[in-house]
mmCIF file of all heavy atoms in Angstrom:
data_model
loop_
_atom_site.group_PDB
_atom_site.id
_atom_site.type_symbol
_atom_site.label_atom_id
_atom_site.label_comp_id
_atom_site.label_asym_id
_atom_site.label_seq_id
_atom_site.Cartn_x
_atom_site.Cartn_y
_atom_site.Cartn_z
ATOM 1 N N ASP A 416 2.031 6.054 2.834
ATOM 2 C CA ASP A 416 2.843 5.427 1.891
ATOM 3 C C ASP A 416 2.683 5.949 0.454
ATOM 4 O O ASP A 416 3.613 5.560 -0.437
ATOM 5 C CB ASP A 416 2.664 3.945 1.950
ATOM 6 C CG ASP A 416 2.912 3.347 3.321
ATOM 7 O OD1 ASP A 416 3.832 3.874 3.911
ATOM 8 O OD2 ASP A 416 2.256 2.330 3.636
ATOM 9 N N LEU A 417 1.747 6.728 0.116
ATOM 10 C CA LEU A 417 1.478 7.076 -1.266
ATOM 11 C C LEU A 417 2.624 7.871 -1.892
ATOM 12 O O LEU A 417 3.086 7.522 -2.920
ATOM 13 C CB LEU A 417 0.152 7.854 -1.467
ATOM 14 C CG LEU A 417 -1.083 6.961 -1.157
ATOM 15 C CD1 LEU A 417 -2.263 7.886 -1.418
ATOM 16 C CD2 LEU A 417 -1.111 5.866 -2.089
ATOM 17 N N PRO A 418 3.085 9.032 -1.298
ATOM 18 C CA PRO A 418 4.171 9.816 -1.870
ATOM 19 C C PRO A 418 5.468 8.988 -1.861
ATOM 20 O O PRO A 418 6.237 9.192 -2.759
ATOM 21 C CB PRO A 418 4.247 11.007 -0.820
ATOM 22 C CG PRO A 418 3.004 11.058 -0.240
ATOM 23 C CD PRO A 418 2.509 9.622 -0.090
ATOM 24 N N ALA A 419 5.744 8.150 -0.891
ATOM 25 C CA ALA A 419 6.940 7.316 -0.852
ATOM 26 C C ALA A 419 6.987 6.448 -2.087
ATOM 27 O O ALA A 419 8.016 6.018 -2.622
ATOM 28 C CB ALA A 419 7.091 6.679 0.404
ATOM 29 N N ASP A 420 5.758 6.007 -2.370
ATOM 30 C CA ASP A 420 5.694 5.018 -3.584
ATOM 31 C C ASP A 420 5.836 5.664 -4.976
ATOM 32 O O ASP A 420 5.834 5.062 -6.003
ATOM 33 C CB ASP A 420 4.312 4.203 -3.587
ATOM 34 C CG ASP A 420 4.184 3.285 -2.382
ATOM 35 O OD1 ASP A 420 5.229 3.071 -1.697
ATOM 36 O OD2 ASP A 420 3.091 2.815 -2.199
ATOM 37 N N GLY A 421 5.759 7.095 -4.951
ATOM 38 C CA GLY A 421 5.840 7.847 -6.138
ATOM 39 C C GLY A 421 4.509 7.947 -6.769
ATOM 40 O O GLY A 421 4.391 8.390 -8.029
ATOM 41 N N ARG A 422 3.414 7.559 -6.120
ATOM 42 C CA ARG A 422 2.077 7.533 -6.829
ATOM 43 C C ARG A 422 1.405 8.870 -6.463
ATOM 44 O O ARG A 422 1.512 9.380 -5.357
ATOM 45 C CB ARG A 422 1.202 6.459 -6.239
ATOM 46 C CG ARG A 422 1.759 5.005 -6.660
ATOM 47 C CD ARG A 422 0.805 3.969 -6.297
ATOM 48 N NE ARG A 422 0.701 3.865 -4.873
ATOM 49 C CZ ARG A 422 -0.182 3.022 -4.087
ATOM 50 N NH1 ARG A 422 -1.017 2.350 -4.839
ATOM 51 N NH2 ARG A 422 -0.130 2.962 -2.804
ATOM 52 N N SER A 423 0.816 9.429 -7.450
ATOM 53 C CA SER A 423 0.154 10.741 -7.186
ATOM 54 C C SER A 423 -1.398 10.535 -7.015
ATOM 55 O O SER A 423 -2.033 11.496 -6.582
ATOM 56 C CB SER A 423 0.309 11.802 -8.195
ATOM 57 O OG SER A 423 -0.150 11.246 -9.443
ATOM 58 N N HIS A 424 -1.847 9.303 -7.347
ATOM 59 C CA HIS A 424 -3.215 9.002 -7.016
ATOM 60 C C HIS A 424 -3.289 7.469 -6.790
ATOM 61 O O HIS A 424 -2.496 6.690 -7.229
ATOM 62 C CB HIS A 424 -4.092 9.464 -8.208
ATOM 63 C CG HIS A 424 -3.624 8.706 -9.610
ATOM 64 N ND1 HIS A 424 -2.662 9.126 -10.325
ATOM 65 C CD2 HIS A 424 -4.156 7.603 -10.205
ATOM 66 C CE1 HIS A 424 -2.571 8.325 -11.398
ATOM 67 N NE2 HIS A 424 -3.444 7.417 -11.275
#
Side-chain angles (χ1 to χ4, degrees):
D416 296 329
L417 292 181
D420 291 349
R422 296 186 290 173
S423 63
H424 61 280

